[in-house]
Amino acid sequence: SAISFLERLCLTWMFFFMMCVAERTYKQRFLFAKLFSHITSARKARKYEIPHFRLKKVENIKIWLSLRSYLKRRGPQRSVDVVVSSVFLLALSIAFICCAQVLKGHKTFLNAAYNWEFLIWEAALLLFLLRLASLGSETNKKYSNISILLTEQINLYLKMEKKPNKKEQLSLVNNVLKLSTKLLKELDTPFRLYGLTMNPLIYNITRVVILSAVSGVVSDLLGFNIRV
């Protein structure tokens, strides 16, 4: 019993250590995204002591897009996504087991010690996933902030009125900004759950399993069938 307890303790520590590493990576991504969103604002750039430039030239827009792409790919990507996907699948598996136990006998569900252990694991994993979902969602908002490009377009229109001799050059920059706005909208992947990268297969399995399990539990508890 002591050896089994130590083995489970070591495995739990290793698992939660990997989750802490993944959370640290998400925090770094959020910090990079936050600083990136401030480089076009003179006041915020001065506050955080970072470079500042406006998107009033085609070269500046190229630098802005290249910097955005570089920061989004900075740091470990695949390994962190594997950890997050593993945590998500583990939480999904535990939820499915708990739903099956409830369907088997919801009155005696809390009498078993392993069910309490499942509930503790599920709560810990859900808290971790909620934390990552919050960080991932805020990071995506910073990188997908189209208002920066719209603000620069308004500034260009105002400059066209003040400097009609540079209207052709400013119109070119404005067209590039419009294309950049469309590009940012197209780059958003459809398989994202609050900032967490979702594999299409995992996404479909999750939808089917969760809906089926929840439908079965609700039908058992309420006493009538629910089709989802």
Side-chain angles (χ1 to χ4, degrees):
S1 299
I3 294 176
S4 176
F5 175 76
L6 289 176
E7 288 179 349
R8 294 170 69 180
L9 184 64
C10 291
L11 290 175
T12 302
W13 179 84
M14 292 174 60
F15 193 78
F16 279 92
F17 175 77
M18 291 189 296
M19 290 196 299
C20 291
V21 172
E23 183 180 4
R24 181 183 177 186
T25 303
Y26 269 69
K27 287 181 179 179
Q28 289 179 347
R29 292 179 183 177
F30 174 69
L31 177 61
F32 293 150
K34 180 181 178 181
L35 295 178
F36 173 76
S37 65
H38 294 338
I39 60 177
T40 55
S41 173
R43 180 179 58 83
K44 293 181 179 179
R46 193 182 309 110
K47 178 181 177 181
Y48 291 96
E49 299 180 353
I50 57 177
H52 163 67
F53 58 89
R54 300 293 299 273
L55 304 181
K56 57 184 180 180
K57 297 181 180 179
V58 178
E59 292 77 9
N60 293 354
I61 299 175
K62 290 181 180 179
I63 294 174
W64 189 80
L65 292 174
S66 300
L67 182 61
R68 179 184 183 275
S69 177
Y70 171 75
L71 291 178
K72 290 196 70 174
R73 291 184 285 104
R74 181 180 174 84
Q77 299 287 334
R78 187 171 300 177
S79 58
V80 174
D81 290 340
V82 169
V83 172
V84 176
S85 298
S86 302
V87 173
F88 186 83
L89 289 176
L90 180 59
L92 180 64
S93 302
I94 294 176
F96 183 77
I97 293 173
C98 291
C99 290
Q101 292 292 333
V102 171
L103 292 175
K104 185 178 180 181
H106 61 272
K107 294 183 179 179
T108 60
F109 174 73
L110 298 178
N111 294 338
Y114 59 85
N115 286 334
W116 281 99
E117 186 176 357
F118 280 145
L119 290 177
I120 294 173
W121 267 91
E122 184 70 12
L125 295 178
L126 287 179
L127 288 175
F128 171 76
L129 288 175
L130 288 175
R131 173 63 175 165
L132 288 190
S134 176
L135 289 172
S137 178
E138 292 298 326
T139 302
N140 284 341
K141 287 181 181 178
K142 297 294 183 182
Y143 281 126
S144 303
N145 191 5
I146 309 299
S147 61
I148 297 176
L149 301 179
L150 297 177
T151 303
E152 295 295 338
Q153 290 183 32
I154 294 175
N155 293 332
L156 287 176
Y157 281 120
L158 296 176
K159 284 186 178 180
M160 288 180 189
E161 295 182 357
K162 293 181 179 180
K163 300 179 180 179
N165 56 331
K166 294 185 177 181
K167 186 175 182 179
E168 184 177 354
Q169 180 182 358
L170 295 176
S171 298
L172 175 61
V173 178
N174 185 46
N175 293 332
V176 175
L177 284 175
K178 289 181 179 179
L179 292 176
S180 301
T181 303
K182 294 181 180 179
L183 177 63
L184 295 185
K185 292 180 180 179
E186 292 293 332
L187 288 178
D188 292 335
T189 174
F191 296 102
R192 278 192 174 272
L193 181 63
Y194 292 102
L196 301 179
T197 303
M198 295 291 294
N199 187 288
L201 180 61
I202 297 178
Y203 177 81
N204 293 325
I205 292 176
T206 301
R207 185 173 58 181
V208 173
V209 172
I210 286 182
L211 290 180
S212 301
V214 172
S215 174
V217 172
V218 173
S219 300
D220 182 72
L221 294 178
L222 298 181
F224 56 87
N225 295 327
I226 296 179
R227 293 183 179 180
V228 182

